[in-house]
Amino acid sequence: MAEARAGESFLKAQKEHVSRPLRMTVGAGLGIGGVVIVQAWLLARIVSAVLFDGASLADVTMELVLLPAIFVARAGLTYISEIASFQAASEVKRRLRDELMQQVLRLGPVRLAEHKTGTLVATITDSVDAIHPYYARYLPAVTLTAILPIAILIVVLPADWLSALVFLVTAPMTPLFMILIGKGAEAKNQKQWSTLMRMSGHLLDAIKGLPTLKLFNASRREAEVVSAMAEGYRRDTMAVLRVAFLSSLALEFFATVSIAMVAVLIGFRLLWGEMTFFSGFFVLLLAPEFYAPLRSLGAHYHARMEAIGAVDKIIALLALAGEMPPPVERARAMAWRAPRLEFKDVTVTFADGRRGLDAISFVIEAGERIALVGPSGAGKTTVLNLLLGFVTPASGEILIDDVPMQACDMATWRRHIAWMPQRPHMFQMSVGDNIAMAEAGGNERDAKALMSAAREASAEALIERLPHGLDTLTEEDGRDLSGGEVQRIALARAFHRRPELVLMDEPTAHLDPDTEKSILAASERLLVGRTSITAAHRLNTVERADRIFVLENGRLVDEGDHETLLKRGGLYADLVQRAASEG
Amino acid sequence: MALLLRLIKLMRPVRGMMALSIALSLLAMLANICLLAVSGWFIAAMGLAGVAGASMNYFTPAAIIRALAIARTAGRYAERVTSHEATFRVLAGLRRWFYDRLEPLIPGALSDQTSGELFTGIRNDIERLELVFLRIISPVVVAGLAGLFVVGVLALHHGISAIVIAALLVVAGVALPLIAMRQGAKPSRDLTALSSEMKALLIDGLEGLAELQLAGRDAYFRSRLAGLSERQISCERQLAMQQGLASAAIVLAANLALLAVLVLVIPAVRDGSVGAAYLPALMLLALASFDAVVPLPLALQSLPGALQSARRLFDLADRTPNVCEPSQPRRAGSGHEISFDDVSFRYAKGRPLVVRNFNLQLGEGRRIAVVGETGAGKSSLINLIVRFWDPTSGRITMGGVPINELALEVLRARICVQQQRPYFFSATVRDNLLLARPDATQGHIEAATRAAQIHDFITSLPRGYDTYIGAHGRLLSGGQVHRLAVARALLNPAPVLVLDEPTEGLDAITAAAMFRGISSLAHDRSILLITHRETGLADMDEIVVLQNGCVAARGSYAELSRLGGPLNAFKSRIDDRPRDDL
């Protein structure tokens, strides 16, 4: 309930950005009100004149000529109101989508890691689309409901107070009953929501699991379950719907019965000569128009429910806290050379309260080659993520060439870094663009530079084998490339950046020995003359490092070169020992 | 048309309910139309009688008005209930039919489709077809019959206006929607394409977000999404404008019908050929009759999509299975030794061989491991053993009988596979486990889950073994999924156990404990272990190293370790695999 209120107020808050088109909807609504009344008035005059004053076509020419103009005006105003509300809806959509996109970029990959890509994508696309009908259908219906019945009541009151009274009494009853019944249906629906979802999704569940069912000889048995589930779904959904339909029954009932009442009441007073036919017919013509907005509101009410349901996810994503580094006012100039890095008591706390790093301090000299080792969860990746700017320290300081990292412009700093993650991502663009990763979409691509990067990464042969060389498009996340090929292209990407700092997370996935050897050799070349930090998983990588940092539970427990650490015993010696015993 | 007929044929079992629903819908529609017309006639007649000072039987018309009001209200409710009832029955029939058709086809005959596309396709298509009656059939039939009724009544009083109204109804109900549909076809198509393009862009960008930000391409990414969003909105605007025009046109047509009746009938009233009180009645009848055509644009708009969905589903359902039940299955021998004799296999013509001249004897109670890198053909062996596919050449026997001469259920009752990508249904943990052995006791279940090192995790869940998992329940991590799959396989009593990467995602200590559990619980069963890790290999009777579908080496663990070579690929890892389920 509280969630629904938050959703509704979020949706309402968006209205301020689209006040102009919404005002246009109101204006068009007022216009429609006026036109509806004039139309009823003209029709009542014509029929009354023909029936009671013996008028012929010629006598009502004036009214007959005005009618088409009124019709066109009504159609035009309806059209304007639709377009204006569409405008409002699409403006809200455009803003929200961009806001979500900015939020995603603000949060960055690490803070988004625990959110499934599919859910994020659905929030940015489907959820944003789902609020469209709220502005395009529901709000205009609300506007018309607020305007039309009152306008009609004002003109009906002097013509026939009794009918006005009927309108006045029945109008509030309709929404009242709708809300009462709607609440009942919703409660019923909520109660069985998960059961209903499960039953509704059962067929797909069964089809997805068919191989498993077959392996356990249960696939024929499941056919009966498919039938039973569909049957249960019918039974339970109909139980909910029978109640839900009562709310539209209430709406229909009040609208229809009061029209009938008005007609009968008018009829008798006409018979008794207590009112003119003109007034009576005028009121009768307006009676359906009085209830029409309420009916259309009832028809579009579900748009509101759907929007509120969808907006939850949007609010949740926008509410995620990203501790962002404050914007840099005057960024310090950065020298283009291998940097010296210093961590001073750096502590990282994750959103769930876990400590990623615990007051860690170390210095890495320019051009030094560091290997990080330790059990998973020790904080190796967090050290890399800090330098990449994907994670910010809760306390402590990182110095780059003695300048605090907060004082550096992030974009400039990142240009110094090449990063080799465990599973590099291949974008759906050409292999060349994947290597270049140029900012503006790759028009300043220099084929020579690309090929030389490829050569350094031992990816030249691979690219020559591709059907269109550098211009070959990669499929979704490089699905058409093997793990080794992806690694090679990512290495070429790293060489192409001409970085000063190399951050590397060694692949743990199994590559065939030849590929592994050649990738290791290429990585070696990448590190030469650069500062580098490698989260290492392999003995031979560690052995070649200038210094090894041994991490455990977010602390630096030991450091030194391979020989020293081995002699000293402790965690490093244990790790090496275990590797040897597995191998 | 043939498609539509085939679809309607599938709905035959519910035709009674559908007819009832259409009748009720028509009743409600006609009551609505007549209510206004009779009311108009009533007050005109009452007014005329009042002026003339004549008496009038007002009981009957007043009663008719009340009856129509009630018929409309009750009729609409009854119609809604029956039409949805009919829809859900159609749904039940359609689902069962489709499942029965698909059952023999998966996974072999549908392997040319990526599973994601296949499943979203099926879901969307079935959802669309389920609405065919409610959205298309019922409104079209009702509009046609109601239109005929109105035109007939008009014709009784004034022929020419009947013709004019008929023409206007056809324009508003058929011509306008058709034009709107034709003009809307391109933007609708673009919209679908844009929506998938947007999703693809987002998936690509979000999965590569780190690389994107590192390259400073985030602004470009944002602007590309904004560009797609803009194009989407412009397509939607075109559609909204067309829809706005179409609905304005229907309102206009209704009002023109009213005007036409006025202009045509007023002279007839003057010359006495139409009774004066009928003027308001006929005029309101014409106006209200357009209510019946309001749902037609939507109905016509959804028709091509529905037919396309029907075509896709029929195409899937009409495929021929790639593995057939033997027409006269042989009785299984008493043994369950499995033997591969010179087996080669490719998934489709023109694709490379994934298994080449493979030989293997898995004697009763023996334990063999097949190791090799991803793509070496290990998992294809499983697909062949359980006959998800048949070998391209060579043959596989069980207890000396070729497996393609055994009934599929007999074969699969003797072999139990722990899948590398197991599927867990949207059901409780217990139900998912019982799939492997419906008559298992809690004791059997716990023995299996303890061996698979997952019992403690399950009991830590708030509802223990009764926790819902799967698509609509608790999400399990990769490691939990694997352990649960191992438990499910251990629960199954089949004498041959096939394990596909059982320790995936587990740390070394848990993996070792799991192997001890498997060894003790399955001590009398044959085991075929497929893995690319080293854990557990030492306990195997034989190890087969597979490379590119060929056997690169085979022998005992000790022999292969001495040789070095292929087995060495496992060496020199200095840390544990990540524990992904903490």
Side-chain angles (χ1 to χ4, degrees), chain A residues 7-8 79 107 115 121 163 165 183 186 196 198 210 288 298 353 373 386 398 408 414 425 427 506 509 541 549:
Chain A
E8 177 106 66
Y79 182 69
L107 290 168
H115 299 264
V121 170
S163 300
L165 190 67
K183 282 234 170 85
E186 204 170 308
L196 284 179
R198 203 156 38 232
L210 254 177
V373 301
L386 277 166
I398 299 171
C408 304
R414 281 177 177 163
H425 181 78
F427 292 91
E506 263 188 348
T541 316
F549 289 179

Side-chain angles (χ1 to χ4, degrees), chain A residues 377-460:
Chain A
K380 292 173 292 189
T381 312
T382 308
V383 170
L384 303 187
N385 280 333
L386 277 166
L387 288 167
L388 288 165
F390 296 150
V391 171
T392 39
S395 66
E397 200 174 30
I398 299 171
L399 301 173
I400 301 166
D401 286 335
D402 299 322
V403 178
M405 197 169 161
Q406 307 93 277
C408 304
D409 174 53
M410 190 49 73
T412 317
W413 166 236
R414 281 177 177 163
R415 232 166 276 153
H416 288 69
I417 311 174
W419 177 52
M420 281 287 295
Q422 284 198 351
R423 285 197 204 101
H425 181 78
M426 288 292 115
F427 292 91
Q428 272 180 289
M429 45 193 194
S430 73
V431 170
D433 286 342
N434 261 302
I435 296 175
M437 288 296 291
E439 285 184 28
N443 14 358
E444 75 256 40
R445 221 174 80 181
D446 173 0
K448 237 188 190 161
L450 289 181
M451 276 323 278
S452 91
R455 199 170 310 124
E456 289 176 286
S458 314
E460 206 180 15

Side-chain angles (χ1 to χ4, degrees), chain A residues 431 435 451 454 459-466 468-470 472 489:
Chain A
V431 170
I435 296 175
M451 276 323 278
E460 206 180 15
L462 149 72
I463 287 167
E464 275 161 8
R465 239 189 349 260
L466 292 172
H468 307 287
L470 283 173
T472 312
I489 293 174

Side-chain angles (χ1 to χ4, degrees), chain A residues 102-114:
Chain A
Q102 273 177 280
Q103 169 74 350
V104 161
L105 294 175
R106 214 177 298 137
L107 290 168
V110 173
R111 276 180 290 262
L112 284 177
E114 64 213 67

Side-chain angles (χ1 to χ4, degrees), chain A residues 55 93-94 97-98 105 205 212 214 217 219 234 242 248 425 428 438 537 578-579 582-583, chain B residues 77 80 85 99 103 106 204 211 213 217 222 230 232 236 270 409 419 423 426 534 573 575-576:
Chain A
K93 228 164 88 165
R94 182 184 298 141
R97 189 164 283 155
D98 195 51
L105 294 175
D205 200 31
T212 302
K214 283 186 161 181
N217 267 339
S219 58
R234 177 187 68 79
R242 263 182 229 118
S248 40
H425 181 78
Q428 272 180 289
H537 306 269
R578 197 177 322 161
E582 268 225 359
Chain B
Y77 180 75
R80 286 197 157 176
E85 185 77 40
Y99 181 85
E103 192 265 339
I106 283 182
D204 202 27
E211 277 104 330
Q213 294 202 317
R217 273 176 71 112
R222 183 179 152 203
E230 210 51 52
Q232 183 199 37
E236 283 172 346
R270 282 284 71 87
E409 298 218 332
Q419 298 163 279
Y423 190 80
S426 192
E534 208 177 354
R573 288 265 305 286
D575 62 355
D576 297 336

Side-chain angles (χ1 to χ4, degrees), chain B residues 2 263 289 297 377 391 474 497 572-573:
Chain B
V263 171
S289 66
R474 194 192 160 90
L497 185 58
S572 84
R573 288 265 305 286

Side-chain angles (χ1 to χ4, degrees), chain B residues 1 51 88 124 415 488 498:
Chain B
M1 207 55 208
V51 171
F88 284 114
N124 294 342
I415 299 173
R488 185 163 67 181
V498 180

Side-chain angles (χ1 to χ4, degrees), chain A residues 39 43 50-52 54-55 57 68 71 79 82-83 86-87 90 93-94 97-98 101-102 104-105 109 121 125-126 129 197-198 200 203-205 207-217 219-224 227 230 233-234 237-238 242 245 248-249 252-253 256 260 263 267-268 270-271 277 281 285 295 376 380 388 390 414 419 421 424-428 437-439 493 497 510 512 537-539 542 575 578-579 582-583, chain B residues 35 39 43-44 46-48 50-51 58 65 69 72-73 76-77 80-81 84-85 88-89 92 95-96 99-100 102-104 106 119 126 198-199 202-204 206-215 217-218 220-222 225 229-230 232-233 236-237 240-241 244-245 252 255 258-259 262-263 267 270 276 280 283-284 373 386 388 409 412-413 419 423 425-426 435-436 438 468 472 488 492 534 569 571-578:
Chain A
Q39 180 180 332
L43 286 172
V50 171
L51 262 56
F52 293 86
L57 265 189
F71 296 158
Y79 182 69
E82 292 228 349
I83 294 303
F86 174 86
Q87 205 66 31
S90 51
K93 228 164 88 165
R94 182 184 298 141
R97 189 164 283 155
D98 195 51
M101 201 60 243
Q102 273 177 280
V104 161
L105 294 175
V121 170
T125 56
D126 300 339
D129 284 336
M197 284 308 290
R198 203 156 38 232
S200 140
L203 173 68
L204 204 63
D205 200 31
I207 293 176
K208 281 185 181 169
L210 254 177
T212 302
L213 288 170
K214 283 186 161 181
L215 288 175
F216 292 115
N217 267 339
S219 58
R220 293 314 313 157
R221 200 160 69 209
E222 192 69 12
E224 295 307 322
S227 287
Y233 183 57
R234 177 187 68 79
T237 315
M238 282 312 293
R242 263 182 229 118
F245 290 158
S248 40
L249 175 73
E252 296 272 340
F253 177 78
T256 314
F268 281 106
L270 283 175
L271 184 66
F277 176 78
F281 196 49
L285 285 174
R295 291 172 67 184
S376 356
K380 292 173 292 189
L388 288 165
F390 296 150
R414 281 177 177 163
W419 177 52
H425 181 78
M426 288 292 115
F427 292 91
Q428 272 180 289
M437 288 296 291
E439 285 184 28
R493 186 187 279 168
R497 286 178 79 80
H510 184 66
D512 69 80
H537 306 269
R538 288 198 173 76
L539 214 48
V542 186
L575 288 167
R578 197 177 322 161
E582 268 225 359
Chain B
L35 175 63
S39 299
I43 69 166
M46 292 287 263
L48 287 170
V51 171
Y58 45 70
I65 289 175
R72 174 179 134 169
T73 317
R76 174 122 326 152
Y77 180 75
R80 286 197 157 176
V81 171
H84 282 80
E85 185 77 40
F88 284 114
R89 295 201 173 174
R95 291 184 163 205
R96 176 61 191 267
Y99 181 85
D100 285 343
L102 224 53
E103 192 265 339
I106 283 182
F119 296 135
I126 288 223
M198 197 186 283
K199 283 191 177 153
L202 275 169
I203 291 172
D204 202 27
L206 287 174
E207 288 186 343
L209 191 56
E211 277 104 330
L212 207 65
Q213 294 202 317
L214 196 64
R217 273 176 71 112
D218 20 8
Y220 172 69
F221 177 47
R222 183 179 152 203
L225 183 81
S229 196
E230 210 51 52
Q232 183 199 37
I233 287 170
E236 283 172 346
R237 179 177 299 116
M241 285 166 84
L245 279 177
L252 198 61
N255 283 321
L258 178 148
L259 186 66
L262 277 180
V263 171
R270 282 284 71 87
M283 145 191 158
L284 289 174
E373 60 181 278
V386 294
F388 280 172
E409 298 218 332
R412 289 173 189 160
Q419 298 163 279
Y423 190 80
F425 294 89
S426 192
L435 187 65
Y468 269 95
H472 300 288
R488 185 163 67 181
N492 187 283
E534 208 177 354
K571 290 188 177 166
S572 84
R573 288 265 305 286
I574 62 163
D575 62 355
D576 297 336
R577 299 214 122 210

